[in-house]
Amino acid sequence: MERLSAHLSRAVQGKETQARLTVTSVIAGGHVLLEDVPGVGKTTLAEALARACGLSFSRIQFTADLMPTDILGSQVFHAASATFTFRQGPIFRQLVLADELNRAPPRTQSALLEGMAHGQVSMDGSTWPLPAPFTVVATQNPVDLNGTYPLPDSQLDRFLMRLSLGHPAPDVEARLLTTQGRPLALDTLEAVTGPEELISLRAFAAGLRMDDAVAEYIVRLARATREHGDIERGASTRAVLAVGGAARAHALWDGRDFVTPGDVRTVLVPCLAHRLMLRSNMQGPTAREEASHLLEELARKVVAPR
């Protein structure tokens, strides 16, 4: 995992924390939503992840005229044999970059739901499995809302984590300027793991031990979101399971075979902030920021097991 994170940090410099959380999400078997302004490395991070993991990759540019069949594929008629065959769409890759996901209408956005939830595509009475391991990395611009369709709650809930990269530190930007014209780090990345190893690592992480006290701690945090006066809708049971899965994967960074409260606190905000509905009229990134603050406050108040 350290080598994988280091490779991502070569491509997206100065974002070690986000690289580690992205790897954590992938090991936990989840999907990632990168919400940030253009030009901070969201697409580069997704491409670097595919290269470092040795995964097949496709990039889908979401636009207002994109149709579900442009993602899933379609039945093609062959006149010679008078038969139809299914031509796979770009979703049939191990890592799919859904770029500017909120630019497409809800009908097109929902084309990803079955694949994200069950790893398969159903069409015309037939079902095709997606290649394993399957991961979606989606991006959206939180500032330019003209011509966008906000992701519905059901779509947001399919993302294990929501992350923001932010602008790099001044010294990192200066270093990027001095290396301009040299081969990009992305072009030199080699795979440090493969699909089979990734599948095995996911299975190992899912089996890590979680004591009853830690499990109860996660539940108490979730209940605190449901009972908070500023939160209209708190964490669901699926959100609780998401925190548990991410915490198990995060434990691998320290070489542990058990989960600690520290693992839970590290993944709490990335896993829950996009799943909460506030009582205020805040929307978009402002609501996410407020939800993050509320979760950090609850993490300080809810007593962790020793």
Side-chain angles (χ1 to χ4, degrees), residues 8-9 11-23 32-48 97 137-140 142 162-169 172:
L8 296 186
S9 296
V12 185
Q13 299 180 29
K15 300 299 175 185
E16 289 76 14
T17 298
Q18 290 88 339
R20 284 172 65 101
L21 286 172
T22 300
V23 173
V32 182
L33 176 62
L34 301 176
E35 185 180 76
D36 217 321
V37 297
V40 294
K42 301 187 299 295
T43 300
T44 302
L45 178 60
E47 293 185 25
L97 170 59
V137 177
T139 72
Q140 66 174 0
R162 184 200 67 89
L163 302 173
S164 177
L165 296 182
H167 293 290
V172 174

Side-chain angles (χ1 to χ4, degrees), residues 289-305:
E289 185 176 349
E290 179 62 21
S292 298
H293 292 324
L294 290 175
L295 286 168
E296 291 166 357
E297 173 191 329
L298 291 176
R300 290 190 295 268
K301 290 183 177 180
V302 176
V303 180

Side-chain angles (χ1 to χ4, degrees), residues 155-216:
Q155 188 91 42
L156 284 171
D157 202 37
R158 292 301 189 275
F159 290 101
L160 180 66
M161 292 188 186
R162 184 200 67 89
L163 302 173
S164 177
L165 296 182
H167 293 290
D171 61 319
V172 174
E173 282 190 307
R175 186 163 62 248
L176 292 173
L177 284 171
T178 59
T179 57
Q180 188 77 338
R182 300 178 188 176
L184 291 174
L186 183 62
D187 298 331
T188 62
L189 286 185
E190 297 179 355
V192 296
T193 186
E196 296 78 12
E197 293 81 2
L198 192 55
I199 292 173
S200 298
L201 193 56
R202 283 183 172 183
F204 180 76
L208 294 190
R209 178 166 54 89
M210 179 181 292
D211 289 341
D212 291 343
V214 177
E216 291 168 1

Side-chain angles (χ1 to χ4, degrees), residues 62-64 66 100-109 147-149:
F62 278 69
T63 57
L66 193 72
E100 296 188 288
L101 178 60
N102 58 338
R103 292 286 176 192
R107 180 187 177 194
T108 302
Q109 293 175 8
T148 62
Y149 301 84

Side-chain angles (χ1 to χ4, degrees), residues 13 67 76-77 79 84 100 137 177 193 204 227 232 240 247 299:
Q13 299 180 29
M67 300 293 291
V76 178
F77 181 72
F84 286 90
E100 296 188 288
V137 177
L177 284 171
T193 186
F204 180 76
E227 297 168 357
E232 177 72 26
V240 170

Side-chain angles (χ1 to χ4, degrees), residues 24-31 116 134-135 160 202:
T24 299
S25 183
V26 172
I27 298 302
H31 310 286
M116 295 174 69
F134 177 72
T135 300
L160 180 66
R202 283 183 172 183

